[in-house]
Amino acid sequence: MSWRSASKLAWLRGLPGIREKEPLASRTSFGIGGPADFFLEAGRAETIEKMLDGCRERTIPYLLLGAGTNLLIADAGIEGLVLRVVTRDHVVEGTRVRAAAGLKMMRLARIVADAGLRGFEFAIGVPGTVGGAVYQNAGCWGKELREVLVEACGYMPGSGRKTWSPADLKLGYRSSALRDGALKGALVVEATIQLQRGDGEEAKSLMAKLTRERNETQPIKTKNCGSVFKNPPGDSAGRLVQAAGLKGTREGAAVISELHGNFIVNEGGATAVQVARLVERARAEVKRRFNVDLEPEVELVGRWR
Ligand SMILES: Cc1cc2nc3c(=O)[nH]c(=O)nc-3n(C[C@H](O)[C@H](O)[C@H](O)COP(=O)(O)OP(=O)(O)OC[C@H]3O[C@@H](n4cnc5c(N)ncnc54)[C@H](O)[C@@H]3O)c2cc1C
């Protein structure tokens, strides 16, 4: 039976706070993509868990949305329910910190620096949420979340709350069991990280320095999704795209950044199809010239056909 049966639609329409045909472009850093069939923003994990169980029972497709900084949403939008996770609690217990999935990594980086903790400065380079960071083991400047992650609390629809160790999460380079394995479809509720006591002011000046340097070498202030491709072993995707002569290549309002080859910028009004064409073109050209297979880091979601 289709997920669009009258009883399933009635269930969705009866959810408190639900919105139908909700535009999503403005909820992504790319500023691209069609609407969600149904959309709900939830600030309590229990609410999201209930929705996930409801979707599972009724076989309604769903997508968890964080800050939308690693997504290319199809122009035709997203099927089913999009649940935006906006839980933002955090607790600092000595050198351990528990943070809810919807808290932004950059915000958490400042919170822990204020608490006199070191070891999380890399997070100032990750504009997504804690949940999105666990999902793909986000990292920056040679450091990754898995280096500080003690455990994550999560929710698997139909089987309830779980505590996942880093080994359960199978964290690899921009990958995890949530993105690529047995935990697909599960919700990250919160993450616990272990840091060291140190000088918070030093942490803040390091973060300011790293941010300044990054602003000079990457088009951070434009509409983009961060790195389009994962770096292949021993090389850099940006270097390969540049060496293939692709900087400045455009499809409509989508362009491969002149500043950094691993960024695609939406100059205003670009469509998802235009970005996807650039992604394919860069992949094909790098393969042809250097025989290297580039794997997208950005995730394509929604109705692509
Ligand atoms: C300018 C810029 C710079 C960036 N730099 C970096 C960088 O240096 N390093 C890096 O690693 N990334 C970087 N990124 C990419 C992005 O910030 C990270 O991938 C981030 O982890 C995505 O988090 P999000 O909340 O935006 O997730 P979204 O884009 O909203 O979602 C991405 C995926 O995570 C899943 N997800 C989100 N929340 C949850 C949850 N609570 N439970 C389960 N699944 C969830 C979604 O379902 C989706 O599949 C950059 C992006 C931009 C725009």
Side-chain angles (χ1 to χ4, degrees):
M1 198 201 320
S2 148
W3 74 268
R4 286 182 167 280
S5 72
S7 66
K8 294 178 190 187
L9 290 174
W11 177 75
L12 282 162
R13 289 185 176 126
L15 296 172
I18 196 88
R19 286 181 247 168
E20 216 170 320
K21 301 220 180 327
E22 179 72 7
L24 292 176
S26 63
R27 293 190 170 86
T28 70
S29 55
F30 243 145
I32 294 175
D37 289 344
F38 290 88
F39 176 85
L40 197 68
E41 208 162 69
R44 292 187 65 240
E46 293 75 11
T47 311
I48 305 168
E49 292 167 5
K50 245 168 86 178
M51 299 304 124
L52 293 182
D53 282 340
C55 285
R56 182 178 171 273
E57 280 158 27
R58 295 170 181 81
T59 60
I60 296 171
Y62 64 86
L63 176 84
L64 294 163
L65 179 65
T69 61
N70 198 44
L71 293 177
L72 179 60
I73 296 178
D75 297 313
I78 296 187
E79 186 100 358
L81 178 62
V82 172
L83 279 160
R84 182 153 182 258
V85 181
V86 292
T87 53
R88 294 194 178 127
D89 298 339
H90 67 273
V91 184
V92 179
E93 290 161 333
T95 52
R96 280 210 170 179
V97 182
R98 276 190 291 125
L103 189 66
K104 296 261 179 78
M105 290 283 279
M106 287 177 159
R107 169 101 185 92
L108 186 57
R110 293 196 185 93
I111 290 170
V112 299
D114 281 338
L117 296 174
R118 301 292 308 263
F120 203 61
E121 293 87 342
F122 73 92
I124 202 71
V126 182
T129 61
V130 167
V134 174
Y135 179 86
Q136 67 156 10
N137 183 30
C140 204
W141 298 298
K143 295 232 176 266
E144 297 176 320
L145 184 65
R146 68 174 157 185
E147 292 167 48
V148 294
L149 188 77
V150 177
E151 62 186 29
C153 168
Y155 190 85
M156 181 54 97
S159 51
R161 281 236 177 153
K162 305 271 179 228
T163 301
W164 299 315
S165 67
D168 296 331
L169 288 162
K170 298 202 176 358
L171 299 175
Y173 169 55
R174 304 295 174 271
S175 71
S176 73
L178 291 154
R179 181 167 176 160
D180 316 294
L183 299 179
K184 232 173 175 10
L187 166 76
V188 175
V189 174
E190 68 171 28
T192 302
I193 55 173
Q194 175 69 56
L195 304 172
Q196 302 96 46
R197 197 146 293 294
D199 186 334
E201 290 310 311
E202 268 178 29
K204 283 185 217 168
S205 28
L206 175 59
M207 292 194 290
K209 176 175 164 281
L210 292 169
T211 304
R212 266 195 315 273
E213 285 173 8
R214 201 176 196 198
N215 284 340
E216 284 163 17
T217 53
Q218 297 179 3
I220 296 301
K221 292 189 174 145
T222 62
K223 289 185 175 164
N224 68 80
C225 65
S227 297
V228 173
F229 298 107
K230 299 183 186 184
N231 287 322
D235 209 335
S236 126
R239 189 198 74 75
L240 288 161
V241 173
Q242 176 171 355
L246 291 163
K247 275 182 162 184
T249 306
R250 95 173 28 250
E251 280 280 346
V255 61
I256 298 180
S257 169
E258 292 279 4
L259 198 56
H260 195 298
N262 203 16
F263 281 70
I264 292 178
V265 171
N266 169 14
E267 291 185 333
T271 63
V273 163
Q274 288 168 347
V275 174
R277 278 196 203 123
L278 279 183
V279 171
E280 269 324 301
R281 192 153 162 202
R283 269 175 98 160
E285 196 57 16
V286 166
K287 176 73 181 170
R288 192 180 71 78
R289 302 271 295 256
F290 310 114
N291 198 27
V292 174
D293 289 304
L294 288 180
E295 190 189 335
E297 178 167 326
V298 62
E299 214 178 327
L300 275 64
V301 293
R303 297 182 178 97
W304 280 91
R305 275 180 219 167

